[in-house]
Amino acid sequence: MRLLTTVAALRCYLTKCRWENKLLYPDTPVLDEQTNWFKTSIGLVTTMGNLHQGHLSLIARARRDNLTVIVTIFVNPLQFGPHEDYQSYPRTWEADCLLCEQAGVDAIFAPTPENIGVPQQNSQEIPITQVIPPSAMIVGLCGRFRPGLFQGVATILTKLFNLVQPDRAYFGQKDGQQLAIIQRLVADLNLPIEIIACPTVREASGLALSSRNQYLTSIEKEQAAVLFTAMRVAEAAFRAGVRHSSELIALVQQRIFMVSHVCLEYIELVDPTTLMSLETIQEEGMLAIAARLGSTRLIDNIILRDRQPIIAIDGPAGAGKSTVARLVADRLGLIYLDTGSMYRAVTWLVLKEGMSIDDECAIAELVNQCKIELTQNPDLQHPVKVWIDNHDVTQDIRSLEVTSQVSAIAAQSAVRRALVKQQQNWGKRGGLVAEGRDIGTHVFPDAEIKIFLTASVSERARRRQSDFSRQGQPEVSLEELERDIAERDWKDSHRKVSPLQKAADAIEVQTDGMSISEVTAQIIDHYQQCLSRY
Ligand code: AMP
């Protein structure tokens, strides 16, 4: 792991590592043949140090997705007010380096304010160019109590984004207002960076991990857990049908007032993307809270989402994911998100428009303008009707011509990016079953139900052999099939980037000796148990 403290050293390091990544992986972003995810060169995790499991979860995610992971450690003077804890903010350089090393970070960039061109002191008259997010996003929530905070955050992040030029940058949902502002910043300034939101990591008590927790005594820590338990009360009410902001907020307040030392700064219900205040929740809302315990200020939030559940099924090749996913969707009346057919639909449109398959720019334009729809179809062979620009292409996308070109189209990163975004947009409404190799870890990390479907190598070889004989194909020996499958598994799970991994919150279904209908029944049973917990 490299430790870099100057902009000059960082630039030099980045040039070298981009060059090496290109040599090692000439096709980056390297596309996974079967999933919707593509690997990228550089992932960035920005922190103020004093690393804990929350930061480490971002780093672990970045490690999975990227060839190179860079962590920045910089206590940013621009985001501290004059009476805030800039000087006393916990700085634990050696422990941080060790944690980064253990987490497989490639380089830490830890500049001094001077080196990165930021004044040591925050003041009214900062002599540098600053980035000011839209005022509607910074006047509420934390912005009301910490003026200048998000201007400081946006300015330093723009500098770090420009310096590192990462493909992806990782941020915690814990800082929900910051996350929304960064997403807006990247969109407004057309920065070619994908912002990945990562779930909040909590202590067993529910208290969100934060560097500032170490200011708390053990009694205060216990008391601080009320922030989360109070939000859970509102969440339970929301699930029971309460939609009005005033009622939900009152529930949180009542619960918090029971703990005398917790002094509420704000509790608000806002749209998680625009941060506009909500009177009622239509689709989703962010319940955000800030409170003080003594002199320590804590923040937290939860997302209240009114959507049908998403079932994410991942697992190794040949485990029967697509058959099972179709059946589960059919039985539960959910939509089978047939991602393969989306790529086929785009291919069909490219061919219909007479575009060259190599014209990536034209295809990028097309894929961002076309409208794909998937609707339920009673025919179990084709359980999804596929529409593109109002044409029903369910049958046409199965043509030989489309089949022969679809992998070339799916290999284009602009196509992948647009379709994953589309899938995630549909995910907002929920009611989907999707399968692949990183649906639960990447495409829908907040899916309610995650299944890791697997089977032993010998079982998958047997299944493949009988598929071949059913299709009248020449016989391949079991040994040969087993060797192929084992090799593919090894490759899938040992790739430096996006290895096949079971999501931490997925349940594993080992399907050896089980029939398709038994597997389907087990998943449906799990789904029903999960729903009854809500
Ligand atoms: P900080 O060092 O506090 O500036 O945080 C750096 C990054 O870590 C930000 O993207 C935070 O949102 C994220 N982060 C901090 N605490 C947590 C947590 N408990 N869970 C997940 N992410 C977190």
Side-chain angles (χ1 to χ4, degrees):
M1 185 177 73
R2 294 301 299 252
L3 301 178
L4 310 161
T5 54
T6 60
V7 167
L10 175 72
R11 288 216 158 105
C12 185
Y13 176 82
L14 287 166
T15 310
K16 192 168 147 284
C17 92
R18 280 207 182 84
W19 175 246
E20 281 172 3
N21 286 346
K22 198 101 208 128
L23 279 182
L24 281 173
Y25 300 91
D27 300 329
T28 47
V30 183
L31 299 162
D32 205 76
E33 302 140 26
Q34 292 193 355
T35 69
N36 300 318
W37 211 247
F38 47 91
K39 313 153 190 183
T40 51
S41 182
I42 293 176
L44 173 68
V45 179
T46 60
T47 80
M48 297 208 295
N50 191 239
L51 303 184
H52 50 66
Q53 289 300 325
H55 300 111
L56 293 179
S57 70
L58 271 50
I59 295 174
R61 177 86 196 268
R63 183 65 286 165
R64 280 211 309 262
D65 301 347
N66 301 278
L67 299 173
T68 301
V69 174
I70 297 184
V71 170
T72 63
I73 297 183
F74 181 65
V75 185
N76 173 24
L78 297 182
Q79 69 189 71
F80 287 80
H83 305 295
E84 292 184 347
D85 55 347
Y86 173 66
Q87 295 300 342
S88 60
Y89 193 86
R91 289 162 171 88
T92 49
W93 171 246
E94 267 150 35
D96 291 350
C97 288
L98 193 64
L99 287 171
C100 285
E101 178 100 56
Q102 287 165 350
V105 169
D106 295 291
I108 296 181
F109 177 53
T112 58
E114 192 185 23
N115 199 277
I116 204 175
V118 164
Q120 281 271 6
Q121 300 273 321
N122 198 1
S123 65
Q124 291 286 347
E125 290 300 319
I126 299 171
I128 61 164
T129 306
Q130 292 197 75
V131 179
I132 306 174
S135 69
M137 298 184 88
I138 59 175
V139 290
L141 306 169
C142 288
R144 188 148 55 94
F145 297 88
R146 300 186 63 192
L149 164 66
F150 292 112
Q151 191 163 322
V153 169
T155 301
I156 194 66
L157 284 177
T158 305
K159 284 165 87 65
L160 292 172
F161 288 162
N162 281 330
L163 281 167
V164 177
Q165 300 189 9
D167 301 278
R168 295 187 174 124
Y170 297 79
F171 292 90
Q173 176 60 50
K174 169 172 172 276
D175 299 279
Q177 184 174 18
Q178 171 175 285
L179 177 63
I181 289 172
I182 296 165
Q183 269 160 337
R184 184 65 194 260
L185 168 101
V186 163
D188 287 350
L189 300 185
N190 303 100
L191 302 178
I193 301 171
E194 191 180 357
I195 300 300
I196 310 276
C198 301
T200 303
V201 178
R202 301 176 180 283
E203 292 197 356
S205 66
L207 174 64
L209 296 188
S210 157
S211 301
R212 290 192 169 100
N213 289 358
Q214 64 180 260
Y215 299 148
L216 301 171
T217 63
S218 54
I219 294 176
E220 283 176 329
K221 257 189 166 185
E222 275 172 35
Q223 293 170 333
V226 74
L227 299 188
F228 185 61
T229 40
M231 289 194 297
R232 289 294 290 250
V233 172
E235 188 182 36
F238 174 74
R239 294 208 185 284
V242 178
R243 293 289 178 273
H244 279 284
S245 161
S246 55
E247 285 176 68
L248 293 165
I249 288 175
L251 286 169
V252 180
Q253 283 168 334
Q254 275 164 24
R255 187 78 180 72
I256 289 181
F257 291 156
M258 288 159 73
V259 180
S260 53
H261 297 286
V262 178
C263 180
L264 252 188
E265 202 169 71
Y266 68 76
I267 156 108
E268 288 186 43
L269 184 71
V270 298
D271 179 291
T273 308
T274 62
L275 302 176
M276 299 308 281
S277 205
L278 293 177
E279 260 178 44
T280 55
I281 301 183
Q282 301 295 339
E283 275 178 5
E284 57 178 3
M286 178 169 75
L287 193 57
I289 199 165
R292 285 184 185 274
L293 265 103
S295 57
T296 309
R297 185 173 183 277
L298 300 173
I299 58 169
D300 202 349
N301 67 78
I302 51 170
I303 303 291
L304 302 177
R305 198 175 273 131
D306 198 10
R307 71 168 193 200
Q308 276 189 284
I310 293 180
I311 304 183
I313 304 180
D314 289 304
K321 293 172 305 226
S322 69
T323 315
V324 168
R326 278 167 217 267
L327 285 166
V328 168
D330 181 57
R331 301 275 157 78
L332 295 174
L334 303 175
I335 301 242
Y336 168 54
L337 180 57
D338 184 355
T339 53
S341 71
M342 295 172 72
Y343 291 98
R344 284 176 174 270
V346 172
T347 310
W348 177 87
L349 193 59
V350 168
L351 295 170
K352 178 177 154 282
E353 297 289 316
M355 279 177 183
S356 157
I357 297 288
D358 306 329
D359 191 349
E360 293 200 16
C361 301
I363 295 173
E365 219 158 275
L366 184 80
V367 75
N368 281 289
Q369 282 165 359
C370 71
K371 184 170 141 228
I372 301 178
E373 283 170 289
L374 301 179
T375 55
Q376 270 163 316
N377 195 11
D379 173 5
L380 200 55
Q381 271 298 320
H382 298 290
V384 176
K385 251 189 200 277
V386 186
W387 307 75
I388 191 160
D389 288 346
N390 300 323
H391 296 283
D392 177 353
V393 291
T394 316
Q395 298 298 332
D396 298 346
I397 60 172
R398 304 282 149 198
S399 72
L400 273 180
E401 207 187 357
V402 169
T403 304
S404 66
Q405 304 289 2
V406 65
S407 56
I409 295 285
Q412 296 179 11
S413 55
V415 174
R416 289 265 162 174
R417 215 172 271 135
L419 294 191
V420 169
K421 201 160 143 213
Q422 166 91 280
Q423 289 156 17
Q424 289 173 330
N425 267 337
W426 286 331
K428 287 189 183 154
R429 272 177 286 158
L432 302 175
V433 183
E435 47 88 16
R437 270 185 286 165
D438 48 13
I439 299 288
T441 47
H442 283 115
V443 183
F444 299 122
D446 58 358
E448 284 76 4
I449 289 117
K450 294 185 188 171
I451 308 286
F452 191 78
L453 201 69
T454 181
S456 66
V457 172
S458 51
E459 173 86 12
R460 281 182 280 149
R462 261 197 308 279
R463 288 181 195 164
R464 194 176 287 175
Q465 197 182 46
S466 59
D467 281 350
F468 282 165
S469 85
R470 244 199 328 272
Q471 292 157 6
Q473 295 194 27
E475 194 177 314
V476 187
S477 77
L478 271 180
E479 291 72 39
E480 200 173 324
L481 288 171
E482 283 183 13
R483 233 189 352 263
D484 270 9
I485 292 174
E487 205 173 293
R488 169 108 188 241
D489 281 0
W490 195 91
K491 275 195 201 146
D492 280 350
S493 49
H494 284 80
R495 289 175 308 185
K496 191 173 174 198
V497 176
S498 261
L500 171 65
Q501 257 182 355
K502 179 173 158 243
D505 48 352
I507 65 147
E508 182 165 326
V509 178
Q510 222 294 350
T511 63
D512 279 26
M514 287 172 82
S515 67
I516 293 281
S517 55
E518 283 168 334
V519 176
T520 309
Q522 185 171 337
I523 293 176
I524 291 175
D525 191 43
H526 178 62
Y527 169 88
Q528 274 150 358
Q529 279 177 27
C530 285
L531 284 204
S532 65
R533 258 185 257 136
Y534 286 126

